[in-house]
Each structure stands twice: as structure tokens, then as C-alpha cells.
């Protein structure tokens, strides 16, 4: 039996010994004697009697082992042309002093702290400082506007917000402070403490706002604090992600399972060992950034590169190759969109020839489907394996992957390879019946999920059960559709719900619809995710005007685009608006979004038998179909 098959069956049949063994990869204050608490299915807890501190595992233990001089974090900003190196000892110092700042403001174990920051080292420092004192961080992506930030503040009820003057996007600065101020106005539970990291190149500082505090001033006067042991089952963070409704889901990650799973994943999935240089080009606002810019590489004792910039235009399509060469990165993890953007700007990879990227051993892609074209191109130009792997905010680490450290397997274009040990993946039809090889259906995972996956949704067990556990009892519903081939390779085809993936960013069409529907000229609307060559998908809106309303389509479009940008954020990339006479519906009034998407994408479709008025669909096909 190969190493993969052995690990997979052990994780399935002898779960306790598999995960207790993996748990030896982290330092415990009190080592767990049990892996799984399965006393209250379908809710499970990992390492119920263990206690530890995640920050200690990410920093202190490496310093204690004599590795304080090793580089922990390299910050490379293509936006300001600066590179900063932090050794493990230096990062520990920064983190323990900022933890002292938080503790000094009365932030304690279990308290929530919202972090709304761009890609600067202080974002990682703030996250680790929360972990150090047992506080629960909730990072909000900088591309979200004030109302989205306010929604998250209201749900998490934080005691503090940590932010910065702003972020830098090509051609513009994004000022965060006015957005934080607006979010606090909108919020029903505004925290009393706001800490601002000043970025002089942007402008806007704590001093501009009454009572807000300056990061530098606080940290220069702060005493470092020691890590606080917490229960393995205590929450480390809440990360909000798009669901099918406008209200985001607060995915809760625990401390123990998370530390064990991520440590295991770095060597077994990514083949990364202590001292290797690892680069994830994502953002700390997404799960990929949480797991693989901050926690994973530091838990593993590797060097993590944190990049502020884009794959193209900062300054050119050679930006990624420059970063790999300059920091001798051994692996890069990014979203397929980034590779497509590079290819579009530089189809012959002429920029690549300017850099020595020989340190690179593999390119990992996730966040959206890696299309076979991009897979082939990247493999050809880079000359290293291109590894698709599939996961979600909820799981926190890969569900399916080609396990480079454990046992590399042949790659198949279009497939993230096989289920990772711990994930018992199945395909079922709408009634929950198991499907066979190559049969397309809902992708489900047999419970319990492995360590490191969501412990629940923040203070909403009912929604957790309703969204993931109730549909097929005994299984977790991924929300993705796909199939498993005869060799056991997983193929992920797309979402079965109203979640869309734009440039690797997960968005809810429902929340965009809610904004569009609030325009006074709009009677009803549907927003669907349609194919986009660069970003994978993009949201496209179809609106029916109220009777008697006259408005130029361009004016309406301009107003709707501005509203979505203001209420959700630039990241929604909402640009397409089409006025239609009516929306196709079922007799029970459900909008036929899937059929609309098939029409817009020029795919074949069948007219659903439940359709209310086939003429509406036929007219729509004439108007929007290719
Ligand atoms: N803060 C504020 N605004 C942000 C932002 C942030 N952190 N990130 C993106 N935005 C804005 C952009 O400036 C842009 O605004 P604009 O409409 O004024 O131009 C808008 O949100 C859309 O951004 P994006 O989707 O990044 O599109 P783009 O055209 O600027 O860049 C790519 C296209 C492909 C280069 C870019 O999407 C990319 O690098 N993708 C990789 C995705 C990724 O890393 N995903 C993480 C999950 S693994
Ligand atoms: P997020 O929670 O933002 O990470 O988005 C998760 C969703 O992105 C998944 O449910 C999938 O729909 C999609 N996704 C992520 N990685 C992949 C992949 N490798 N292949 C196909 N889809 C993916």
C-alpha cells in the first residue's frame, strides 16, 4: 500500500491514533489524551482535553529551539517598493508587545477583535497577538465597504478594532479610516477601542479621530506578554464568508485542531519543511491568507513571504517571478486568476526569462477551479508541477490535493487529485443516494470532518446545522458539485448555490441582489455569476423596472454600480446591468437563475417543467443569449 493509501485508511479507520500522532507536531500545555469528542453528533470537537497556545506554536517554540535568527516573515511591497525581514525572534518581540497593548486595553481571552487591514506585517502581528492572549480575531478584507464591515462588527461584537490608514491599489489609495468611522456609525455594537497603524504614504491617522489610538505610540510603551494557554476547542478566529443570503457566515476555527491540521498539511500536502521559503499570494482577509500566509508556514517553522501588490501592473507581469527570485521562494500558492492575468499580459512568459526562479519546486493553486488551459501553460513556462487543490473557508485546509510531501501522484488536468486523509468525500444525488464513478452530483463529506475544519458558525448553531448538516444526515454539504472518477480523482465543477467566485473572491449574488433591488427604479432583479475569461466568474445583473419608470439604461447602470461599490465594496466588481421585461420563474415564483446563467454562458439548457411562462424565457434567450 502506498503512503497516501495507508494514511487515508488510517485517518478513516483508526482516527484516534492518526490524529493523536499528528498532534505530536505541536507543543501542548496539556497534551490531549483523546483526538475526537463524538459525544454529540453531528457536532464534533477535536482534542477535547488538550490545552495550548497557537501563537506559542507559531513563534515562541521556534525561538526556544534556537531558531530565533531564522527569517519568519518577509514583507515585500510592490506598492511602496519596500522589503522588510522579520526573524522569528523579532516577530515574537513585535507580537508579544502588541499582545501587551491589547491586554492593556482590557482585551482578554474570548474577546473578539476585528482586524481591518491591508497587506502589511502589522496585520499578521495583530492576528498573532490576539492568538497569544486567547482573544478571537476576525479579519475583514479591505476590499469590503463600510456596511459590510458594520455587519461583521455587529455579529462578532468586538471589544476592539485594529486598522491602518489604508491600502494601496494600482492607481489609487483606499482610505480605511473614513470607512471604519462610517462602519462604527452604522454598527449597533461599536467597540470602544480603535487602534490605527499609520501609513504615512496614505494619510489619515489615529489623531484625526477622537479617542482613536496610534499603533506606534502604544507598542513603544508596551510590555511584552506571555502566551495564554487556551482549550484546544476554544475559538482562534471567526472569518466571515459569503453564504446564499446577504448575511455572511461567521466560520469559527478552533485552536487545537487548526494547529494540528495546518502543521500536518505543510509537510504532507505542500512538502514544506522548517527553513523553506513559502509564498502565498493572497490576502489576509481570506482563508487562504489566514492558513497559508500567517499560521501554516509559521507553525511549520518556515519563512513566509507576504506580498503587497498584484500579479500584473505592479509594475508588470514579471512581478511574481521577481518575488520568487528575490526571496528564493520554494513554493508559490495563488489563485488561478492571477496566473491567467499574467498569461494575458505576457503570453510568451518573456518576463519570466529575466529572473532566476530555480528555487521554485511547485506552484499551488486554489480558490477557484484551475482550468486545464492555465494548468498546462503554467506547467510549461515554469517547468514545475502545478498543483490544483480544493478547499473552502469552512474547511480551512485542503479537502482534495496532490500530497507532495506524503506521496506525489500523477496530475490530471481539471482535477485537484484525491481526498486528503481525514476527508471521506462522496458524491450524492438530490435525495442523498450515493453515486458511482464519473456520476455528477453534490459533493459531500462524511462526518466527522477532520481537525482544523469549522467548529460551527459564530453563535448560530441553527444556521450551521441548516446550512451544512441537515440536508444529508451524517454528511457535511460542501455546496460544490462534481464527480469522482474511477481512479478516485475528484473533479469540482461549480457551486450548487448562489455563491460565486470572482477572481478567487467568494461573493454572494444574494447580497448584490439586495443592493440592486433597493434602487427606487427596480421592481425585481436577479444577479447571477457568468463566465469571465480572466476572473473565472463575474456578477451580472438583470433588472425589471417598476411600471411607468423611465430611466436611461446607462444612468441606471451607473447608479447600480455605484451603490454596490458603496455598500459591498469594489471587490464585488459589479459592472453588468441588463434591463429585461420580465424574469423567468417557476410556478412557485422562484427565479430560474441556473437557466439564466446557462443562457448567458451560451450553454445548452432544458426548459424546466415547472416554468410559469415559457415565453419569458424564450424572450430572454433572444435578448441575452449569444
Ligand atoms: N482593498 C480595496 N480594494 C480592493 C482590494 C483591497 N484589498 N482588493 C481589490 N480591490 C479592488 C480593486 O482595486 C478593484 O477596484 P476597481 O474596480 O476600482 O478597479 C476591485 O476591487 C476588483 O479587484 P480585483 O478583483 O483584484 O480586480 P483587478 O482588476 O484589480 O485585478 C487580478 C485582477 C486578476 C490581477 C486580481 O484579481 C488578482 O490578483 N487576483 C488574485 C486573487 C487572489 O489572490 N485571491 C485570493 C484568494 S486565493
Ligand atoms: P472560499 O471559501 O472563498 O475559499 O471559496 C470556496 C469555494 O471556492 C469552493 O466551495 C469552490 O466552489 C471554490 N474552489 C476553491 N478551490 C477550488 C478548486 N481548486 N477547484 C474548484 N473550485 C474551487
Amino acid at each position: 500500500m502506498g503512503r497516501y493509501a495507508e494514511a487515508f485508511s488510517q485517518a478513516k479507520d483508526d482516527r484516534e491514533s492518526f490524529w493523536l500522532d499528528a498532534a505530536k507536531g505541536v507543543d501542548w500545555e496539556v497534551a490531549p489524551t483523546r483526538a475526537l469528542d463524538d459525544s454529540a453528533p453531528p457536532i464534533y470537537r477535536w482534542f477535547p482535553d488538550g490545552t495550548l497556545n497557537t501563537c506559542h506554536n507559531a513563534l515562541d517554540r521556534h525561538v526556544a529551539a534556537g531558531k530565533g535568527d531564522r527569517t519568519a516573515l518577509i514583507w515585500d511591497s510592490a506598492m511602496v517598493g519596500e522589503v522588510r525581514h522579520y526573524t522569528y525572534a523579532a516577530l515574537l518581540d513585535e507580537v508579544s508587545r502588541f499582545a501587551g497593548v491589547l491586554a492593556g486595553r482590557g482585551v482578554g481571552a474570548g474577546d473578539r477583535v476585528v482586524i481591518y487591514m491591508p497587506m502589511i506585517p502589522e496585520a499578521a502581528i495583530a492576528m498573532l497577538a490576539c492568538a497569544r492572549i486567547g482573544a478571537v480575531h476576525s479579519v475583514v478584507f479591505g476590499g469590503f465597504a463600510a456596511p459590510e464591515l458594520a455587519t461583521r462588527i455587529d455579529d462578532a461584537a468586538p471589544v476592539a478594532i485594529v486598522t491602518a490608514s489604508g491600502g494601496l491599489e494600482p492607481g489609487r489609495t483606499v482610505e480605511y479610516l473614513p470607512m471604519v468611522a462610517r462602519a462604527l456609525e452604522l454598527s449597533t455594537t461599536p467597540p470602544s477601542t480603535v487602534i490605527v497603524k499609520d501609513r504615512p504614504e496614505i494619510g489619515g491617522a489615529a489623531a484625526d479621530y477622537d479617542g482613536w489610538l496610534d499603533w506606534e505610540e502604544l507598542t513603544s510603551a508596551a510590555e511584552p506578554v506571555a502566551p495564554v494557554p487556551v482549550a484546544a476547542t476554544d475559538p482562534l478566529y471567526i472569518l466571515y464568508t459569503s453564504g446564499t443570503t446577504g448575511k455572511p457566515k461567521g466560520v469559527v476555527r478552533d485552536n487545537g485542531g487548526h494547529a494540528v491540521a495546518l502543521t500536518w498539511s505543510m509537510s504532507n500536502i505542500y512538502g514544506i519543511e522548517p527553513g523553506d521559503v513559502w509564498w502565498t499570494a493572497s490576502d489576509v482577509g481570506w482563508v487562504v491568507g489566514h492558513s497559508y500566509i500567517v499560521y501554516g508556514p509559521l507553525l511549520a517553522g518556515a519563512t513566509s513571504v507576504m506580498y503587497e501588490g498584484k500579479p500584473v501592473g505592479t509594475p508588470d507581469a514579471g512581478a511574481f517571478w521577481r518575488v520568487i527570485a528575490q526571496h528564493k521562494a520554494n513554493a508559490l500558492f495563488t489563485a488561478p486568476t492571477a496566473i491567467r492575468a499574467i498569461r494575458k499580459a505576457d503570453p510568451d512568459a518573456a518576463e519570466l526569462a529575466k529572473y532566476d526562479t530555480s528555487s521554485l519546486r511547485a506552484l499551488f493553486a486554489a480558490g477557484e477551479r484551475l482550468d486545464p488551459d492555465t494548468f498546462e501553460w503554467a506547467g510549461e513556462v515554469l517547468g514545475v508541477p502545478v498543483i490544483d487543490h480544493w478547499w473552502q473557508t469552512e474547511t480551512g485546509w485542503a479537502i482534495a490535493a496532490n500530497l507532495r510531501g506524503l506521496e506525489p501522484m500523477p496530475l490530471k488536468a481539471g482535477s485537484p487529485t484525491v481526498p486528503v486523509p481525514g476527508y471521506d468525500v462522496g458524491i450524492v444525488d438530490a435525495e442523498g443516494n450515493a453515486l458511482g464513478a464519473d456520476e455528477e452530483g453534490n459533493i459531500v463529506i462524511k462526518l466527522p470532518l477532520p481537525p482544523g475544519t469549522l467548529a460551527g458558525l459564530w453563535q448560530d448553531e441553527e444556521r450551521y446545522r441548516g446550512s451544512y448538516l441537515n440536508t444529508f444526515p451524517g454528511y457535511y454539504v460542501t455546496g460544490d458539485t462534481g464527480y469522482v472518477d474511477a481512479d478516485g480523482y475528484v473533479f469540482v465543477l461549480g457551486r450548487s448555490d448562489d455563491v460565486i467566485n470572482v477572481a478567487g473572491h467568494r461573493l454572494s449574488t444574494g447580497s448584490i441582489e439586495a443592493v440592486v433591488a433597493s434602487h427606487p427604479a427596480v421592481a425585481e432583479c436577479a444577479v447571477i455569476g457568468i463566465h469571465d475569461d480572466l476572473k473565472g466568474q463575474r456578477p451580472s445583473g438583470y433588472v425589471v423596472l417598476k411600471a411607468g419608470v423611465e430611466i436611461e439604461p446607462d444612468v441606471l447602470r451607473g447608479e447600480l454600480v455605484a451603490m454596490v461599490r458603496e455598500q459591498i465594496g469594489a471587490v464585488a466588481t459589479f459592472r453588468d446591468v441588463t434591463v429585461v421585461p420580465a424574469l423567468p420563474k417557476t410556478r412557485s415564483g422562484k427565479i430560474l437563475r441556473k437557466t439564466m446563467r446557462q443562457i448567458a454562458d451560451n450553454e445548452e439548457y432544458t426548459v424546466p417543467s415547472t416554468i410559469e411562462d415559457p415565453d419569458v424565457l424564450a424572450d430572454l434567450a433572444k435578448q441575452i443569449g449569444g
Side-chain angles (χ1 to χ4, degrees):
M1 204 193 294
R3 292 185 67 196
Y4 163 72
E6 201 180 320
F8 188 85
S9 57
Q10 197 198 349
K12 193 171 163 186
D13 304 329
D14 191 3
R15 196 179 285 131
E16 285 292 305
S17 75
F18 184 85
W19 288 115
L20 283 175
D21 196 43
K24 293 182 188 143
V26 306
D27 264 11
W28 297 87
E29 177 78 11
V30 176
T33 61
R34 280 192 300 151
L36 183 71
D37 172 2
D38 56 0
S39 58
I43 310 288
Y44 298 88
R45 296 278 175 260
W46 285 96
F47 310 113
D49 57 356
T51 66
L52 79 170
N53 181 276
T54 297
C55 178
H56 163 86
N57 274 283
L59 299 176
D60 306 59
R61 70 166 165 155
H62 304 309
V63 176
K67 306 292 184 222
D69 290 341
R70 181 184 287 160
T71 306
L73 187 70
I74 300 173
W75 179 61
D76 184 314
S77 173
M79 308 308 294
V80 296
E82 194 184 335
V83 173
R84 251 189 260 164
H85 287 75
Y86 292 81
T87 62
Y88 270 93
L91 192 59
L92 173 59
D93 178 59
E94 299 264 354
V95 167
S96 41
R97 277 188 300 117
F98 192 65
V101 167
L102 293 174
R105 305 295 309 171
V107 181
D111 287 338
R112 274 81 56 214
V113 175
V114 161
I115 299 173
Y116 184 60
M117 290 184 112
M119 284 289 284
I120 55 175
E122 288 76 9
I125 291 169
M127 291 163 76
L128 290 160
C130 289
R132 192 166 190 81
I133 57 173
V136 181
H137 62 69
S138 186
V139 183
V140 179
F141 177 61
F144 284 123
E148 290 286 325
L149 177 57
T151 306
R152 287 156 177 77
I153 291 172
D154 279 344
D155 198 66
V159 296
I161 293 194
V162 185
T163 185
S165 315
L168 294 161
E169 285 294 296
R172 73 188 170 104
T173 53
V174 184
E175 288 187 43
Y176 282 22
L177 303 190
M179 276 193 278
V180 173
R182 176 83 189 116
L184 293 180
E185 267 168 33
L186 293 172
S187 165
T188 52
T189 57
S192 52
T193 299
V194 181
I195 300 173
V196 181
K197 166 69 190 157
D198 189 8
R199 295 192 86 185
E201 58 277 10
I202 290 173
D208 304 337
Y209 296 83
D210 199 24
W212 291 14
L213 306 164
D214 178 68
W215 173 293
E216 302 297 342
E217 247 170 61
L218 295 172
T219 41
S220 59
E223 288 296 321
V225 298
V228 174
V230 296
T233 52
D234 280 346
L236 170 67
Y237 69 76
I238 307 167
L239 180 58
Y240 288 89
T241 189
S242 301
T244 48
T245 66
K247 188 172 182 278
K249 291 169 167 168
V251 167
V252 177
R253 194 86 56 214
D254 68 8
N255 274 275
H258 175 255
V260 171
L262 290 194
T263 305
W264 190 89
S265 75
M266 287 307 295
S267 58
N268 287 283
I269 297 182
Y270 300 106
I272 291 292
E273 299 301 332
D276 281 343
V277 180
W278 167 262
W279 176 27
T280 297
S282 174
D283 189 289
V284 288
W286 307 111
V287 71
V288 172
H290 279 63
S291 294
Y292 294 113
I293 294 175
V294 182
Y295 290 109
L298 297 179
L299 286 165
T303 297
S304 181
V305 178
M306 180 181 204
Y307 172 70
E308 183 182 40
K310 301 271 170 177
V312 291
T314 59
D316 52 39
F320 274 24
W321 319 139
R322 194 267 303 159
V323 173
I324 292 170
Q326 189 166 340
H327 306 304
K328 300 197 171 31
N330 301 121
L332 164 63
F333 175 177
T334 191
T337 303
I339 305 299
R340 286 196 296 269
I342 295 170
R343 182 185 181 186
K344 194 171 163 212
D346 182 18
D348 300 324
E351 290 293 337
L352 183 60
K354 298 181 186 166
Y355 301 96
D356 173 6
T357 57
S358 57
S359 58
L360 195 72
R361 300 198 293 254
L363 169 68
F364 294 93
E368 53 174 321
R369 181 171 172 267
L370 174 62
D371 56 287
D373 235 25
T374 306
F375 165 78
E376 303 287 355
W377 183 83
E380 243 162 62
V381 301
L382 285 168
V384 298
V386 177
I387 316 294
D388 185 13
H389 60 319
W390 164 60
W391 49 297
Q392 323 180 296
T393 305
E394 289 84 344
T395 63
W397 63 296
I399 308 167
N402 197 301
L403 293 102
R404 307 308 293 172
L406 185 67
E407 183 188 357
M409 292 187 171
L411 297 165
K412 288 192 192 185
S415 168
T417 316
V418 290
V420 168
Y423 290 97
D424 191 354
V425 172
I427 309 288
V428 300
D429 66 14
E431 280 74 47
N433 305 305
L435 297 175
D438 296 325
E439 288 185 308
E440 191 184 323
N442 302 296
I443 315 184
V444 295
I445 304 166
K446 192 162 193 279
L447 293 170
L449 294 176
T453 53
L454 79 171
L457 295 181
W458 180 248
Q459 293 193 331
D460 200 346
E461 190 177 309
E462 205 180 307
R463 191 172 183 201
Y464 172 46
R465 287 172 181 264
S467 301
Y468 304 104
L469 308 176
N470 290 349
T471 314
F472 304 119
Y475 293 86
Y476 165 87
V477 177
T478 64
D480 283 310
T481 59
Y483 62 93
V484 177
D485 77 4
D487 298 328
Y489 278 55
V490 177
F491 288 77
V492 182
L493 300 173
R495 299 282 309 189
S496 59
D497 55 16
D498 298 329
V499 166
I500 60 170
N501 229 299
V502 183
H505 304 143
R506 176 163 157 182
L507 299 168
S508 140
T509 54
S511 66
I512 303 176
E513 266 176 25
V515 176
V516 173
S518 69
H519 188 285
V522 172
E524 59 177 349
C525 66
V527 175
I528 55 175
I530 64 170
H531 174 80
D532 184 274
D533 281 341
L534 175 65
K535 299 190 176 187
Q537 282 186 303
R538 66 172 192 274
S540 186
Y542 299 88
V543 303
V544 179
L545 296 180
K546 282 183 184 155
V549 166
E550 286 195 16
I551 183 166
E552 283 296 318
D554 273 354
V555 173
L556 178 68
R557 179 178 165 278
E559 289 176 5
L560 291 175
V561 167
M563 282 169 69
V564 171
R565 203 176 165 92
E566 226 162 78
Q567 292 183 44
I568 296 177
V571 69
T573 29
F574 181 69
R575 311 233 197 284
D576 302 356
V577 176
T578 307
V579 176
V580 295
L583 293 171
K585 289 182 190 163
T586 62
R587 283 188 288 275
S588 60
K590 205 167 168 273
I591 296 171
L592 293 165
R593 289 185 177 76
K594 184 176 169 197
T595 318
M596 290 178 70
R597 187 195 59 71
Q598 288 169 320
I599 291 173
D601 284 345
N602 280 325
E603 284 175 13
E604 278 189 25
Y605 65 95
T606 43
V607 178
S609 56
T610 53
I611 194 161
E612 185 190 32
D613 182 350
D615 291 346
V616 171
L617 194 65
D619 289 346
L620 188 81
K622 267 191 227 139
Q623 187 182 349
I624 68 167

